Amino acid sequence: MIKECGKAIVDGIKHSFSESTNVGVNLVKGLWNGINSVKDWILGKIKGFGDAVLNGLKSFFGIHSPSKVMADEVGKYLPQGIAVGIEANAKRYFKTNIGFSK
């Protein structure tokens, strides 16, 4: 009788752990399914926020055409910067390569 009682207790504890594992698994699956169901909504909100920030910055700085700003403010200085870099390093390059050609 005591042996049967002990076995019943052990079996009950095993069953409890098994059920709590199932509860945990179901909880995680439910959370995951819930997150997936609102994924597009969340991404839409993030995109809307990013667009609002970008539009606010463009408005603040008076930028109506980002490509025109890049052409006028960045593009016209890029070739000049490249030329300065080439001029600054050309002497070292030619000295090194002339030494190898002899």
Side-chain angles (χ1 to χ4, degrees), residues 19-72:
E19 286 301 311
S20 63
T21 300
N22 288 337
V23 168
V25 167
N26 290 336
L27 177 70
V28 171
K29 284 182 178 179
L31 285 171
W32 182 251
N33 290 336
I35 291 168
N36 275 330
S37 72
V38 296
K39 172 186 67 167
D40 292 335
W41 177 82
I42 291 170
L43 292 175
K45 292 295 181 186
I46 292 170
K47 183 181 180 318
F49 175 75
D51 288 344
V53 169
L54 179 61
N55 289 334
L57 287 171
K58 287 180 2 184
S59 175
F60 178 78
F61 289 109
I63 298 171
H64 302 287
S65 172
S67 59
K68 183 161 175 32
V69 170
M70 289 299 288
D72 293 344

Side-chain angles (χ1 to χ4, degrees), residues 80-98:
Q80 293 172 5
I82 292 171
V84 168
I86 290 171
E87 288 174 3
N89 293 291
K91 291 177 186 172
R92 183 176 55 208
Y93 170 78
F94 285 117
K95 283 182 185 177
T96 302
N97 285 327
I98 290 172

